[in-house]
Structures are given as C-alpha cells and as structure tokens.
C-alpha cells in the first residue's frame, strides 16, 4: 500500500485492507493531501475534504459492484486513483472484506444460474455533510449500471440502480479522518448490498386478505398471460416504470426520506394506473378503495400490505404459484423477515424468452433487475407473485 507522510496540520483519510480501495475508472485523482484539520481543534470539513469523502465513497461502492462482475476471481484493489493516505477504520475494513467475499459468492451463484455481468460503472455524488465535533455524516447517492453478459442471449442490455447511503467519518485527536460507518438509508434492496440477517419475527395476526406465498424454483410451470379480452395495457405499465424509475414523476409525491416509509408501492401503483387500473374513490383508510394523485392517495395506493389487500379483495389480481411465472405488468412483493407483513413491492417490466422476469422498482431505484438476482440477494425472504 502506498503511503505519504503528511504534515501534522493536515487531516488524513486512509484505506486499509483489500476491501475498499478502488476508484471508478477515469475518476479524478485525489489531491496530495486529504483534508485540512488542526491538531487540537475540531477538524473543519471544507470543500476539499468533502471531495475526499466523495471519492472514498465512490471507491467503496465501486469495489462492491465490481465483486459481482468478477465473481469468485481474485482481484487486486485498484489504488492508482489515490495519492496520499486514505483510511477505513480497521473494523470497517474487515466488514468490507466480508462483504466483498459474499458478493463474489453471489456472482458465482448467478453464473451457475445463467446470469453474468461483463462490465459495471459506479459513480457517487455527495448530497450533504453534517459535522458535529469530530464526527462528520456524509449523505451520498450511488448510481450504478451493470451490463449483462449474453449468456442465454435473451438478457436485456443493462440493469441499473440508485441507492442512498450515510457515511460516518471520525477524526482522531490529531485530526486524521477515518471512515467508520456505512448505513443504507433506502427502504429497498440494491444489487450490491447484502441481505440482512434472517430473524424470524412474530407472525402478524390479522383478518385481511392473505396472499399465498410463491415458490422460487426455476424453471416454473407455464402460466402464459392472457392478453385478449382485457382493457389493460401491460406495455404501458412497463414503459411508465422504465421512464420514471430514476427521474420521479412530479405529478405524484415522493415517499422516500425520513419517516415516509419508502416509495416502492406508490411507484408500482402509478405504473398500474398508467396501464389502465381505474380509481376506486372513497375513504383513504379503506383498503377496498384505491386512488392516487398529487394531492391525495389511498393507503392501498402507497402501502405494501394495503395494496395487497386491495388487489386481492377487488379481484384485480390472482396469485401465481411460482415467481418465475410472472410476466410484464405483474407484481412481486417480499416479506423480508417472514412475519406476515410484506415489506417491498416491484413490477415486471421485461420477461426474457427463456422465462426470466426482470423487475423495476423504487427504494432503491432499480431498472430491470433479474428475478434470479433478487432471490440470490435475499433467499430467506417470503415472495408473493400477483398476476395483474
């Protein structure tokens, strides 16, 4: 590892370990120092320091994504983009090593399932920085595009996502910065994040309509979608979702952010509405009603469980026995901890000729992620598939 002795009047940021020391190809080099800070005073976070934080975040998430491309192949970290010292805390470096190993294994699993990525590009923007004493909180947005390798030959060209994170930097008594924490702030699941540990929560006891779980085995028994005799436009559903997966439609509220609960179901409801689902006006808390616009939304329009209750009660959907039976315009929900309360909603926007659905969703904003990748990321979740 390259190291440069810095004047004690400068703060340093240093990466240790093989985990997170790359930077996206073509990114600008760091300056010869990392961040300015006095020896005894609380360190200042100026524009150059923030740029250092941004580039370090870019390096960390680039390495995570690249682990999926590499699969089980060992790879030396790319350090050419850095000059000076950049540091993760020892604990976080060990955690990143563990994360990269898990993502390598996931890449191997996907390859065995017939899915590979041949290239990836990750960029990180710094959205905000808050400083309290010797702790800095950096809010960043990660934007990643993965190019599918043509293994089966029917894959779409790319998948992509946006994810938000909060990074914690801590300065020691000399004013030297370390990256000490990374927290995902989205409600959803990004391609290069790890599933949370499986903890079986107490079952939810309610009397609302309960959808049956769907199997996740591939291939699935044929369940072709009937396109005749329906007023729904499934292509329009997919086109809407793929238009607004990253740039949100300003005609609707955005439910991301602190305490808002996530935008996944709101986004799927918009897509279904674009394809022909009609409003059922009424009281916002009544799950037998469904409506949404810029001013008001029913709970069934924006809530994961409430949408499921409405979809079943109204007979607008039927349950599929296997998730791989889904087609364009169908909806997938996940219950992360199998407690009976669903946590996430997605919509199919592409189905390959060989029967693999690809899903688009909000929180984290994601475009055409394969069902195989979703299941590989969270094999312990419960899955619910809805034919629209």
């Amino acid at each position: 590892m390259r190291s440069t002795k810095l004047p004690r009047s400068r703060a340093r940021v240093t990466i240790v370990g093989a985990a997170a020391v790359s930077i996206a190809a073509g990114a600008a080099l760091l300056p010869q120092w990392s961040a300015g800070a006095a020896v005894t005073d609380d360190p200042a976070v100026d524009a150059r320091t923030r740029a250092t934080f941004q580039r370090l975040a870019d390096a960390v998430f680039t390495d995570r994504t690249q682990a999926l491309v590499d699969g089980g192949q060992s790879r030396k970290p790319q350090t050419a983009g850095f000059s000076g010292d950049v540091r993760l805390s020892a604990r976080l470096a060990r955690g990143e090593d563990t994360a990269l190993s898990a993502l390598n294994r996931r890449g191997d699993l996907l390859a065995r399932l017939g899915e590979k990525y041949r290239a990836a590009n990750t960029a990180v923007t710094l959205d905000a920085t808050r400083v309290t004493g010797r702790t800095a909180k950096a809010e960043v947005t990660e934007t990643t595009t993965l190019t599918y390798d043509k293994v089966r030959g029917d894959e779409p060209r790319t998948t992509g996502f946006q994810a938000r994170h909060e990074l914690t930097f801590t300065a020691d008594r000399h004013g030297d910065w370390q990256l000490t924490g990374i927290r995902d702030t989205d409600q959803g699941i990004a391609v290069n994040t790890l599933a949370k540990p499986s903890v079986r929560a107490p079952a939810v006891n309610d009397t609302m309509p309960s959808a049956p779980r769907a199997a996740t085995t591939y291939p699935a028994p044929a369940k072709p979608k009937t396109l005749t005799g329906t007023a729904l436009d499934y292509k329009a559903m997919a086109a809407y979702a793929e238009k607004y997966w990253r740039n949100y439609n300003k005609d609707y509220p955005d439910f991301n952010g602190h305490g808002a609960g996530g935008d996944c179901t709101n986004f799927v409801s918009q897509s279904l509405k674009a394809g022909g689902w009609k409003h059922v006006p009424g009281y916002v808390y009544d799950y037998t009603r469904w409506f949404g616009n810029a001013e008001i939304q029913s709970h069934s329009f924006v809530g994961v469980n409430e949408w499921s209750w409405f979809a079943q009660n109204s007979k607008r959907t039927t349950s599929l026995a296997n998730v791989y039976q889904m087609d364009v315009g169908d909806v997938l929900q996940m219950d992360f901890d199998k407690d009976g309360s669903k946590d996430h909603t997605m919509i199919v926007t592409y189905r390959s000729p060989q029967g693999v659905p690809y899903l688009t969703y909000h929180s984290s904003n994601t475009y055409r992620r394969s069902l195989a990748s979703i299941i590989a990321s969270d094999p312990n979740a419960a899955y619910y598939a809805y034919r629209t």
Side-chain angles (χ1 to χ4, degrees):
M1 170 179 139
R2 185 167 45 190
S3 176
T4 303
K5 183 66 174 177
L6 300 181
R8 186 52 85 182
S9 62
R10 299 288 189 184
R12 296 180 307 208
V13 185
T14 307
I15 283 184
V16 296
V21 288
S22 76
I23 192 163
L29 299 182
L30 291 183
Q32 293 298 317
W33 48 270
S34 303
V39 175
T40 56
D41 297 336
D42 287 346
V45 178
D46 55 18
R48 291 175 176 176
T49 305
R50 290 192 294 271
T52 301
F53 290 170
Q54 179 269 325
R55 289 183 173 91
L56 178 55
D58 193 290
V60 169
F61 296 117
T62 292
D63 262 353
R64 289 187 183 181
T65 306
Q66 195 61 42
L68 287 171
V69 179
D70 295 336
Q73 302 174 20
S74 60
R75 172 177 67 90
K76 290 184 178 180
Q78 302 174 37
T79 58
F82 288 96
S83 48
D85 294 332
V86 184
R87 185 173 187 203
L88 271 70
S89 69
R91 180 190 61 80
L92 191 60
R94 289 193 297 270
E96 285 301 302
D97 282 334
T98 300
L100 295 183
S101 296
L103 290 167
N104 272 324
R105 291 193 297 273
R106 186 186 299 171
D108 284 343
L109 172 60
L110 289 173
R112 292 195 296 272
L113 295 172
E115 178 173 315
K116 294 183 67 176
Y117 311 111
R118 63 178 177 83
N121 180 67
T122 293
V124 173
T125 58
L126 181 65
D127 303 320
T129 306
R130 307 185 309 278
V131 182
T132 305
R134 307 181 78 77
T135 299
K137 299 282 189 179
E139 297 177 9
V140 303
T141 298
E142 170 195 4
T143 302
T144 288
T145 300
L146 287 152
T147 302
Y148 286 110
D149 198 1
K150 294 295 185 181
V151 177
R152 297 186 309 270
D154 58 2
E155 298 88 343
R157 189 176 68 85
T158 62
T159 181
F161 68 89
Q162 281 187 325
R164 288 177 287 254
H165 314 277
E166 181 186 77
L167 278 62
T168 300
F169 292 87
T170 305
D172 64 17
R173 63 188 180 87
H174 301 298
D176 297 343
W177 290 106
Q178 295 185 41
L179 176 58
T180 55
I182 300 174
R183 182 175 69 89
D184 300 330
T185 57
D186 283 324
Q187 300 291 326
I189 47 172
V191 173
N192 63 355
T193 56
L194 302 179
K196 296 178 176 62
S198 178
V199 177
R200 181 68 67 90
V204 173
N205 183 17
D206 61 50
T207 58
M208 300 301 185
S210 179
R213 293 182 188 176
T216 58
T217 52
Y218 177 83
K223 188 75 172 180
K225 195 165 193 173
T226 302
L227 300 179
T228 57
T230 177
L232 298 180
D233 186 340
Y234 299 112
K235 290 183 178 179
M237 295 177 185
Y240 181 95
E242 294 190 348
K243 179 179 180 180
Y244 292 110
W245 74 272
R246 181 167 58 182
N247 300 310
Y248 286 27
N249 187 346
K250 301 302 183 182
D251 292 337
Y252 294 91
D254 175 359
F255 288 98
N256 286 315
H258 300 292
D263 199 64
C264 62
T265 307
N266 181 42
F267 174 64
V268 167
S269 289
Q270 293 171 36
S271 303
L272 295 170
K273 181 179 172 181
W277 274 37
K278 302 300 183 184
H279 281 175
V280 183
Y283 188 47
V284 294
Y285 297 106
D286 184 350
Y287 74 84
T288 67
R289 310 290 117 179
W290 184 86
F291 54 90
N293 53 37
E295 288 76 33
I296 190 170
Q297 308 81 34
S298 66
H299 281 206
S300 60
F301 198 91
V302 300
V304 182
N305 289 288
E306 292 85 348
W307 181 89
S308 176
W309 300 337
F310 170 79
Q312 296 170 85
N313 182 76
S314 64
K315 309 300 182 185
R316 291 193 180 186
T317 67
T318 56
S319 294
L320 294 169
N322 190 297
V323 292
Y324 281 97
Q325 293 173 326
M326 292 189 301
D327 207 332
V328 171
D330 290 340
V331 173
L332 179 69
Q333 291 190 317
M334 295 175 64
D335 175 2
F336 296 143
D337 49 16
K338 294 182 178 178
D339 67 347
S341 178
K342 300 170 186 65
D343 303 294
H344 190 41
T345 310
M346 299 163 277
I347 188 167
V348 178
T349 59
Y350 175 76
R351 178 181 168 89
S352 76
Q354 294 194 23
V356 177
Y358 290 77
L359 294 106
T360 299
Y361 53 91
H362 279 181
S363 311
S364 307
N365 305 332
T366 298
Y367 169 81
R368 288 195 181 185
R369 184 177 181 185
S370 77
L371 180 58
S373 173
I374 293 170
I375 295 171
S377 296
D378 206 340
N380 296 317
Y383 292 85
Y384 300 84
Y386 303 82
R387 169 60 46 84
T388 60

